[in-house]
Amino acid sequence: MPEYDVRGVRVSFPHEAYECQLVYMERVVEALEEGKHALLESPTGTGKTLCLLCATLAWRQHYMQKNPGKDAPKVVYSSRTHAQLKQVIQELQHTPYRPRMSILGSREQMCISQEARQADRGGQLNMICSMLRKSKRCAFGSRAKEVVGQLSRTTSEPFDIEDIVKLGKEHRGCPYYMTRGLYETCEVAFMPYNYLLDARNRKGIMLDEKTILIMDEAHNVEAVCCDASSFDLTANDIRRAIRDTEKCIQMLAYDFSSTGKENKGRFSMLRAQLSGLERALTNVQTGENGFTRDGIYFQEFLAAPGIGINHS
């Protein structure tokens, strides 16, 4: 396999590198050596992914050789979708580099518990998983840590989500928690953008100032940021919430304790707010193409039925 000296770093490459690939890898190594941000672009078909992987992993090896005993930075490689990450991992398989790795995904993609799957009624899998684990009724979850130990000793080949699900079924360990366990000690982690851009998902990622963060296909980042900051709220959603609130009020009708009375009052207030929001939405005239308004408009819109940061 050809090797190249790129700014003093020995980079192994799966084939003879083109000049543009050598220039690209030189820019990657330069950014890593100098601790800079880098915005890199190259035409489709020029092997950007291979260049990113080989240059980054070669630099990481070089760092460890120069700094024995020091922890090398973790590499976090992100792209928009798992389908794109699968292609990246396939490229990694073509290189000589075999870092300890993990790939993060959702329970919907990784859960192998038939009990949890059958109980899920749409969007409830996270809650069901938590309940099963707390009650120790998920045999796969309880074995995840043990299986991670086995895989750390025996598995060196890069894997994608389909591979880790298959391994989970073979070893009867939860793939979702296996990847979380592998993430703690991995050298390279693959994940979609939303794990980095959504504050709720980012809490468990443990990034620091030394982390090497690669955002592939970065022209998609703006759209993902928009999605992470947006949500849909339909009239049907509000009607269902009103019905659920009314059920809670009925359940508390015969609870005469101070806590019961307090909760009934809170649910009654919530029902009034939701009913006010439903009426307000009915009066909105959007036209065929909808409309766009600034944040102040929506703050005032929600304040009318008593919803907002100034309302308890």
Side-chain angles (χ1 to χ4, degrees):
M1 189 169 288
E3 280 195 350
Y4 299 92
D5 187 313
V6 181
R7 295 177 63 93
V9 175
R10 299 299 299 174
V11 180
S12 297
F13 208 66
H15 53 72
E16 295 292 334
Y18 299 117
E19 182 63 28
C20 65
Q21 292 175 323
L22 292 172
V23 172
Y24 194 96
M25 289 192 287
E26 184 175 347
R27 294 293 174 265
V28 173
V29 172
E30 177 185 352
L32 293 170
E33 280 287 329
E34 300 182 12
K36 293 180 176 178
H37 300 300
L39 181 62
L40 304 174
E41 187 175 24
S42 187
T44 301
T46 53
K48 296 188 295 292
T49 301
L50 266 180
C51 292
L52 271 171
L53 290 170
C54 291
T56 302
L57 295 174
W59 179 87
R60 194 177 183 280
Q61 286 185 349
H62 181 73
Y63 178 94
M64 289 189 291
Q65 291 166 0
K66 283 177 57 180
N67 303 278
K70 289 184 68 175
D71 290 334
K74 179 177 289 191
V75 180
V76 172
Y77 195 114
S78 66
S79 194
R80 181 166 190 172
T81 66
H82 276 105
Q84 291 170 334
L85 289 174
K86 182 174 183 177
Q87 294 174 352
V88 174
I89 292 168
Q90 287 173 347
E91 294 282 14
L92 178 59
Q93 291 170 344
H94 296 149
T95 76
Y97 300 103
R98 292 296 180 265
R100 297 192 308 276
M101 66 157 286
S102 185
I103 180 168
L104 301 187
S106 66
R107 288 177 174 86
E108 283 77 9
Q109 294 168 306
M110 295 187 177
C111 179
I112 58 175
S113 166
Q114 288 301 314
E115 182 178 0
R117 290 288 188 184
Q118 290 169 2
D120 183 24
R121 293 295 181 268
Q124 297 180 325
L125 193 56
N126 288 350
M127 180 182 67
I128 294 166
C129 171
S130 179
M131 291 171 58
L132 290 176
R133 280 176 54 81
K134 284 181 179 178
S135 61
K136 298 183 178 180
R137 287 166 51 198
C138 181
F140 302 107
S142 60
R143 274 186 49 79
K145 187 174 182 179
E146 178 184 344
V147 176
V148 164
Q150 295 174 6
L151 294 180
S152 298
R153 294 189 297 271
T154 60
T155 303
S156 60
E157 286 299 306
F159 55 84
D160 59 26
I161 283 182
E162 288 80 4
D163 297 325
I164 199 70
V165 168
K166 182 178 178 182
L167 285 169
K169 290 178 178 178
E170 289 176 357
H171 295 272
R172 296 191 60 76
C174 172
Y176 178 82
Y177 284 102
M178 284 161 55
T179 57
R180 265 61 185 175
L182 290 168
Y183 179 81
E184 294 178 4
T185 58
C186 74
E187 298 167 329
V188 180
F190 297 91
M191 64 189 71
Y193 294 149
N194 62 299
Y195 279 85
L196 302 170
L197 302 176
D198 189 319
R200 294 166 297 181
N201 291 326
R202 195 168 56 244
K203 289 179 181 178
I205 301 303
M206 299 178 294
L207 301 178
D208 59 38
E209 66 276 3
K210 291 174 59 180
T211 303
I212 300 169
L213 179 58
I214 298 173
M215 304 191 80
D216 200 2
E217 303 290 340
H219 57 276
N220 292 313
V221 169
E222 183 178 2
V224 176
C225 287
C226 183
D227 290 343
S229 304
S230 305
F231 65 94
D232 294 327
L233 181 64
T234 68
N236 284 335
D237 293 332
I238 297 173
R239 280 193 287 270
R240 282 195 294 268
I242 292 172
R243 286 197 297 269
D244 289 343
T245 306
E246 289 172 345
K247 288 178 182 177
C248 291
I249 293 171
Q250 291 172 7
M251 291 169 61
L252 292 166
Y254 299 101
D255 186 347
F256 300 108
S257 67
S258 58
T259 302
K261 291 178 181 179
E262 184 179 345
N263 287 336
K264 185 177 179 181
R266 287 176 176 173
F267 280 116
S268 297
M269 182 181 295
L270 178 59
R271 180 180 58 183
Q273 291 173 327
L274 291 170
S275 298
L277 180 58
E278 184 181 30
R279 289 192 297 271
L281 280 176
T282 303
N283 295 327
V284 172
Q285 302 297 319
T286 62
E288 291 184 4
N289 298 318
F291 63 82
T292 301
R293 297 287 188 273
D294 60 22
I296 298 298
Y297 170 88
F298 290 102
Q299 286 181 358
E300 294 175 349
F301 178 83
L302 293 171
I307 302 171
I309 58 175
N310 296 321
H311 298 82
S312 59

